[in-house]
Amino acid sequence: MGKRVGMEVSIAAAEAVKQANVDVISAYPITPQTHVVEHLSELVANGELDAEFFCVESEHSALSVCVGSEATGARSFTCTSSQGLALMSEITYIASALRLPIVMIIANRALSAPISIWNDHSDVMSIRDCGWIQFFAENGQDVYDHVFIAYRLAEDRNVLLPAIINMDGFTLSHVIEPIEFIEQEKIDRFLPPYQPVHRLHPDRPVSMGGIALPPIFTETKKAHEVALQGSMPKILETWKAFGDMTGRYYQPVETYKAEDAETIMVIMGSFGETASAAVDLMREEGRSVGLAKIRLWRPFPFEAFKQATLHAKQLVVIDRAISIGGPGGPVASEVKAALYGEPIRPVVYNFVAGLGGRDVSPSDFIKMVDKAEIEIEEGNREGYEIYGVRE
Amino acid sequence: MTKPDSEWKWKELPEGTVMLEPGNADQYRTGDWKTLKPVLNKELCIHCGLCYIFCPDSSYNLDAEGYFIVNLFYCKGCGICAKECPTGAITMVVEEEEK
């Protein structure tokens, strides 16, 4: 068993990137991502990590550098937040369509305006359809572990897609947690050097990023869609291999006391631990409440989600982003789409909570479950509201 | 690409739609964009090469007899060659439907 160390999650994430033996780091600083790349910069400057660190002039360039370096076969890393991700968004679509297995951590933060440096999921939801594999971390250990999982998976010849690890800004990035470190030799066995299928090399020239005319563009999108959907078995296989190495087994949808629950809360990210505490409090009162945590956002785990939730009477989906003018939060939208084909399905009640860093405590989760159960009892089957907003 | 775009199936595309054969753009027929094509009157041609220099698609090539001849596979029919020709040796004419 590896060493257990109390460490700020951002620093642990940077240490994981070092242990993953990356060749290139390219980043532009933005709160709350800064500690990750500051620490990586130190590791490179001190000679503890043999990598190129590119201090670029924008996030657009940060990911563009990674596209170039990854295209030559160099294992590349970047990290951003909020406005930085928005500026980078153009390149996110290019990195995935070129099938370049870059790994990016996003320290999730609200998008302006008004300016907020604090957490919600609006940044990553703006690039929901960018064609990357997308994980949500519940705690610091998840972030650390998923750096290795993401690289091994992304670089698999049957996958070849970039991967995002979502880490809630401040709520995770800036807290000190116990992290169990994995011995380097184990990581080296788990994560062999990257062997690209196609790369930019003078001995065997290829062209990347060409134009596709209307007769072939649709075929390229189909190939990308099949690659992302088809990565699911590899994701499960990679988590299994990681679990066999560390004892920490991950699932696309993880549940807590949900097996027999009539009401299941559905969340993503660091809401998980707080909502688990709320489940315990409600269970003590004899209430039939459980929790489903979506760890894998893309490809969306439709089957696993249905398996975890179909038996419930109602789902209380708590989104950390708002889809203004849409049918509710983005997670609730997906959940409703996942269940639509089922003849008997739970009622979905949707809250948007925790925007721009507002705390959501166990008692808030209990209040949301209370409200949803009453509303559904009274026949409201289309419930959607922003939680805790002052009238 | 070794075959026309319209014949590729999605499963056949290399990962990332990487082009494994460099320089395949020369297989792209831009010639079918045009409605007018340049026609050369060799009796007026003074072999100055201005058509060759000005052609934005590098569609003119020197032949063995010293004439600059347009390659209609690439020529988009812009008419710059006809405009620049100092002796009026090039005229733009409506391209007939290919039989």
Side-chain angles (χ1 to χ4, degrees):
Chain A
M1 191 169 135
K3 212 164 84 175
R4 214 165 136 87
V5 185
M7 189 179 276
E8 187 188 305
V9 171
S10 287
I11 307 300
E15 288 288 330
V17 172
K18 180 192 110 181
Q19 285 191 283
N21 197 17
V22 300
D23 302 307
V24 169
I25 300 147
S26 174
Y28 188 84
I30 183 169
T31 302
Q33 150 265 35
T34 20
H35 291 184
V36 178
V37 290
E38 272 174 11
H39 190 64
L40 280 167
S41 171
E42 270 176 37
L43 291 171
V44 173
N46 293 346
E48 293 175 60
L49 170 58
D50 181 18
E52 289 290 329
F53 191 106
F54 290 88
C55 293
V56 287
E57 77 281 17
S58 77
E59 287 83 359
H60 189 279
S61 301
L63 190 54
S64 296
V65 165
C66 288
V67 164
S69 55
E70 194 73 50
T72 68
R75 186 173 285 164
S76 306
F77 175 80
T78 190
C79 185
T80 193
S81 289
S82 181
Q83 309 306 118
L85 182 65
L87 183 54
M88 182 187 277
S89 64
E90 177 190 352
I91 313 300
T92 61
Y93 286 75
I94 294 170
S96 59
L98 296 183
R99 309 285 298 278
L100 298 171
I102 299 159
V103 171
M104 163 158 69
I105 294 178
I106 301 175
N108 302 108
R109 159 184 158 184
L111 283 173
S112 297
I115 296 171
S116 165
I117 59 167
W118 294 278
N119 170 243
D120 69 32
H121 295 164
S122 53
D123 54 3
V124 73
M125 289 305 164
S126 75
I127 55 154
R128 186 191 64 180
D129 299 333
C130 67
W132 292 44
I133 293 167
Q134 300 185 38
F135 300 107
F136 273 84
E138 183 180 356
N139 55 41
Q141 187 72 56
D142 285 12
V143 176
Y144 173 84
D145 289 352
H146 275 79
V147 170
F148 314 115
I149 292 165
Y151 273 115
R152 171 158 149 162
L153 178 64
E155 293 172 0
D156 189 296
R157 290 194 159 209
N158 295 309
V159 177
L160 289 177
L161 286 165
I164 288 168
I165 302 162
N166 288 290
M167 161 177 79
D168 282 331
F170 291 111
T171 318
L172 287 183
S173 65
H174 283 55
V175 297
I176 294 172
E177 290 192 10
I179 310 284
E180 190 182 308
F181 278 76
I182 305 166
E183 294 90 336
Q184 190 62 45
E185 57 272 25
K186 278 192 182 176
I187 287 170
D188 294 342
R189 274 200 303 277
F190 180 77
L191 183 61
Y194 174 39
Q195 301 284 346
V197 175
H198 306 295
R199 64 173 176 143
L200 298 179
H201 194 281
D203 290 349
R204 192 167 172 267
V206 298
S207 304
M208 294 184 180
I211 189 171
L213 299 174
I216 202 168
F217 187 83
T218 308
E219 280 65 27
T220 72
K221 292 296 126 181
K222 170 78 178 176
H224 189 167
E225 151 106 309
V226 170
L228 188 55
Q229 295 286 11
S231 67
M232 187 67 89
K234 277 287 168 189
I235 296 172
L236 300 178
E237 194 185 304
T238 307
W239 273 334
K240 171 76 167 57
F242 187 84
D244 292 345
M245 177 176 76
T246 60
R248 292 188 291 277
Y249 290 91
Y250 293 106
Q251 293 291 329
V253 179
E254 285 161 16
T255 56
Y256 182 67
K257 299 186 179 177
E259 291 70 22
D260 61 340
E262 288 184 7
T263 302
I264 298 177
M265 287 187 280
V266 179
I267 57 88
M268 293 204 300
S270 67
F271 268 164
E273 294 193 346
T274 327
S276 302
V279 167
D280 286 342
L281 291 168
M282 286 185 277
R283 285 277 178 176
E284 277 170 26
E285 292 171 4
R287 298 175 64 176
S288 181
V289 179
L291 174 66
K293 302 174 278 192
I294 299 173
R295 170 178 301 288
L296 183 64
W297 176 235
R298 283 292 182 277
F300 191 84
F302 289 99
E303 284 314 308
F305 185 80
K306 283 193 268 190
Q307 214 173 351
T309 60
L310 258 188
H311 63 277
K313 278 191 186 160
Q314 53 242 340
L315 304 182
V316 183
V317 181
I318 302 151
D319 264 286
R320 210 163 199 164
I322 186 163
S323 170
I324 293 171
V331 180
S333 267
E334 227 70 341
V335 161
K336 288 175 185 172
L339 299 176
Y340 186 75
E342 298 298 321
I344 300 165
R345 54 183 185 250
V347 178
V348 176
Y349 201 95
N350 182 206
F351 290 95
V352 168
L355 296 183
R358 190 175 291 190
D359 266 344
V360 184
S361 65
S363 65
D364 293 314
F365 285 103
I366 295 172
K367 282 179 198 156
M368 285 188 260
V369 171
D370 289 347
K371 176 79 188 293
E373 287 182 348
I374 290 167
E375 286 282 329
I376 293 166
E377 183 72 26
E378 289 174 357
N380 180 357
R381 300 176 67 82
E382 302 280 336
Y384 161 60
E385 62 185 276
I386 303 175
Y387 173 75
V389 73
R390 289 182 297 278
E391 297 290 344
Chain B
M1 301 225 175
T2 50
K3 55 184 173 182
D5 283 1
S6 56
E7 288 175 18
W8 283 80
K9 298 184 171 70
W10 70 265
K11 276 186 188 172
E12 301 168 338
L13 294 172
E15 294 82 356
T17 328
V18 163
M19 283 174 280
L20 301 171
E21 294 166 54
N24 61 50
D26 68 358
Q27 294 167 32
Y28 180 30
R29 179 193 286 271
T30 49
D32 61 7
W33 296 14
K34 64 178 162 293
T35 51
L36 299 174
K37 68 175 178 184
V39 174
L40 175 67
N41 179 348
K42 286 188 176 174
E43 284 174 19
L44 295 176
C45 178
I46 56 168
H47 309 268
C48 66
L50 283 182
C51 53
Y52 168 82
I53 290 165
F54 277 97
C55 177
D57 278 301
S58 306
S59 296
Y60 275 92
N61 291 298
L62 192 61
D63 75 0
E65 295 164 26
Y67 291 102
F68 291 92
I69 305 296
V70 71
N71 184 340
L72 294 174
F73 185 86
Y74 300 118
C75 170
K76 294 170 184 167
C78 67
I80 289 175
C81 53
K83 171 93 177 162
E84 296 297 335
C85 179
T87 63
I90 300 171
T91 23
M92 300 303 290
V93 302
V94 176
E95 195 177 39
E96 300 294 325
E97 283 289 327
E98 291 197 16
K99 17 231 174 256

